[in-house]
Amino acid sequence: MKSLILSGSLLLQAVAFAQTAAPPSASAPGQPLTISQAVDYARLHSPGLQGLQAHVSAVQALEITAGLRLNPSIVGEGTQNTLSNTDPNGPPFYGIGLQRVFETGGKRSLRLDAARANTGVASAQFDDQRRSLDFAVRIAFTRMLQAKLALAIANDNLAGYRRTVDLMKVRLDVGDVDRTDFDRIELQLAGFENDQTNAQLNLTQASEQLQLLLGEPHGLTSFDITGTLDLPQLASTEKQLEDAAIAARPDLLAASRQVRANEAAIRLANANGKTDPQFGVEYEHSGTGSTGGFNLQIPLRIFDHNQGEQERTRREAESSRLLLQQQVNQVISDVDQAYAAYQAAVVQNARYQTKYLAEAAHVRDNLEFAYRNGNATLLDYLSALQDYRLTNLAALNAQATAQTALHQLSYATATEVNP
């Protein structure tokens, strides 16, 4: 699945909320976090997301520049001044004036519209990055939870097999089994020990990855999470999920706002092709006389009507409309693919949870009992142990894959599909 990239006042409210108060569910990273608490914590403490918030504020600051009126100019002059006692050219002349360009065509209002539209695009893109962060946190949380459960399984398997080795040692001591069979059983202990070591390493790495997303530069060994990989019943249909995605996806909103921003740019480019007159007033003093006057300058836009910018903005607008339609198609495809992946993962997970996991445990327990009592071969018992280990890990992977598919579906729809 491709990785996919609020307006003005809504964004400011969200940013202010994020900077001033944590959600009620947020906890300190030293305490066990639920998946929703981890998402809330990451939204508040992720340096990357905070940097994007600052970028949106920077874009919004351009609205101030767009709304500024043109400054007037003061013009002063003095002529016929001399350092001698007499001036054959007559008395000195002094003048001062005030000039200002008056914008026509509503340029200031259109600049504001264009700047606000660009802020809307940036804020929607920020919202999409937050969606991506939420998804990354959920995936990392699921991986850490999977690693915790895998470590628990590895610990249980190791403890159970050590009991088998201890029992076989007793039988070896009394002569019920020979040394070769005992060594073969004890050699299998290395596999269980390796499983436990690898599971511990996976848990440590998964914890570090999740804490990094939460904005913690140094992983805490006391960091912990709590949750389950049990799947809820999905209540929404595929069509309902498509409609929800079209209404909620921030990348689609950004594409829609880009169309409006380009349309605003067209109107501004047209207005910039209009003439702006310059009007000024002046005061003049020469000898003992004082006079006043005014001047008006109207540029003759005979050749340059801003045609190039007008054409560019029109083409940009047409491009953004086509890209918007492409984004709509991409959103629907994302939902359809995520929905199909979830349905497949649910079926696969159900196979293990309702059948194969229990069968593997049943076979292992029966053959362990039979072997301890001399009614099964060592090869049968070791094969049952291997099948049980692989089935347990496969069942756990299937459960985690289904949870990941559920997160992908939430990401594709930009909604929380988990009831």
Side-chain angles (χ1 to χ4, degrees):
M1 189 72 63
K2 292 183 180 180
S3 178
L4 306 171
I5 327 225
L6 323 164
S7 153
S9 61
L10 292 177
L11 174 68
L12 290 178
Q13 293 174 15
V15 172
F17 172 78
Q19 291 176 339
T20 58
S25 61
S27 304
Q31 302 173 354
L33 298 179
T34 65
I35 190 167
S36 60
Q37 289 172 338
V39 169
D40 290 339
Y41 193 92
R43 287 184 176 186
L44 291 175
H45 297 87
S46 169
L49 198 61
Q50 291 173 355
L52 290 172
Q53 286 178 344
H55 172 70
V56 174
S57 298
V59 173
Q60 191 173 32
L62 294 175
E63 296 178 20
I64 300 174
T65 302
L68 296 176
R69 301 180 186 275
L70 297 181
N71 291 320
S73 300
I74 295 179
V75 179
E77 62 176 321
T79 62
Q80 301 181 191
N81 295 308
T82 180
L83 299 178
S84 63
N85 293 331
T86 61
D87 187 354
N89 298 319
F93 172 85
Y94 302 97
I96 187 170
L98 182 67
Q99 297 179 346
R100 182 188 173 191
V101 175
F102 289 85
E103 294 184 304
T104 61
K107 293 184 179 66
R108 175 175 174 269
S109 176
L110 293 173
R111 284 199 304 272
L112 275 170
D113 290 344
R116 289 166 179 162
N118 288 330
T119 299
V121 173
S123 61
Q125 291 172 340
F126 161 76
D127 216 15
D128 193 50
Q129 292 300 317
R130 184 171 61 182
R131 177 176 71 103
S132 297
L133 175 64
D134 292 352
F135 176 62
V137 170
R138 290 189 174 102
I139 293 297
F141 186 96
T142 299
R143 288 174 179 169
M144 182 177 175
L145 189 57
Q146 178 186 7
K148 284 186 63 177
L149 295 175
L151 179 60
I153 291 174
N155 286 335
D156 289 343
N157 289 342
L158 179 60
Y161 195 74
R162 278 175 173 166
R163 289 194 295 270
T164 297
V165 172
D166 291 343
L167 178 60
M168 292 301 102
K169 182 64 168 62
V170 173
R171 294 183 60 185
L172 174 66
D173 292 342
V174 299
D176 282 352
V177 296
D178 60 31
R179 186 72 195 185
T180 299
D181 283 350
F182 174 78
D183 288 344
R184 293 179 66 185
I185 291 176
E186 192 174 41
L187 280 173
Q188 299 301 314
L189 189 61
F192 289 95
E193 291 173 338
N194 288 337
D195 287 347
Q196 195 269 349
T197 300
N198 291 333
Q200 182 62 63
L201 175 61
N202 290 338
L203 177 57
T204 300
Q205 292 177 336
S207 175
E208 291 278 354
Q209 292 170 359
L210 179 55
Q211 291 185 71
L212 178 64
L213 290 171
L214 297 184
E216 297 298 326
H218 304 290
L220 303 174
T221 56
S222 60
F223 177 77
D224 197 10
I225 60 174
T226 181
T228 177
L229 291 178
D230 294 339
L231 290 176
Q233 184 67 35
L234 189 62
S236 301
T237 66
E238 186 173 7
K239 181 61 169 62
Q240 289 173 328
L241 293 172
E242 289 176 355
D243 293 341
I246 290 175
R249 281 275 289 261
D251 56 334
L252 186 56
L253 178 60
S256 176
R257 288 179 176 177
Q258 187 62 61
V259 172
R260 293 199 293 270
N262 288 341
E263 290 172 346
I266 291 176
R267 294 190 292 270
L268 179 58
N270 292 337
N272 285 336
K274 299 181 183 300
T275 298
D276 295 333
Q278 179 175 291
F279 181 77
V281 295
E282 58 186 24
Y283 166 80
E284 300 169 345
H285 180 82
S286 178
T288 59
S290 297
T291 60
F294 68 91
N295 63 77
L296 177 65
Q297 297 182 33
I298 301 179
L300 299 178
R301 304 199 71 161
I302 298 174
F303 306 108
D304 179 9
H305 297 283
N306 205 34
Q307 302 97 317
E309 187 64 12
Q310 292 172 6
E311 181 65 17
R312 185 195 67 81
T313 54
R314 282 193 293 268
R315 297 189 180 217
E316 288 286 359
E318 180 60 24
S319 172
S320 63
R321 295 187 190 100
L322 294 172
L323 291 175
L324 174 60
Q325 183 57 54
Q326 174 61 28
Q327 193 62 41
V328 171
N329 297 342
Q330 183 66 58
V331 167
I332 295 174
S333 176
D334 289 345
V335 174
D336 292 348
Q337 292 183 57
Y339 186 82
Y342 176 72
Q343 295 295 333
V346 168
V347 172
Q348 185 178 23
N349 177 62
R351 293 193 185 110
Y352 286 99
Q353 300 303 323
T354 62
K355 183 179 181 181
Y356 297 123
L357 197 58
E359 284 185 356
H362 178 71
V363 170
R364 180 206 59 178
D365 293 343
N366 285 348
L367 285 174
E368 181 180 4
F369 179 80
Y371 178 72
R372 288 180 178 181
N373 290 274
N375 297 321
T377 66
L378 175 63
L379 183 61
D380 289 338
Y381 173 53
L382 295 180
S383 178
L385 281 177
Q386 181 70 8
D387 291 343
Y388 177 76
R389 289 168 59 195
L390 295 177
T391 302
N392 259 274
L393 291 177
L396 180 59
N397 290 337
Q399 202 171 19
T401 298
Q403 275 288 345
T404 299
L406 186 64
H407 298 326
Q408 185 72 54
L409 194 55
S410 294
Y411 175 70
T413 59
T415 59
E416 182 52 71
V417 299
N418 188 350

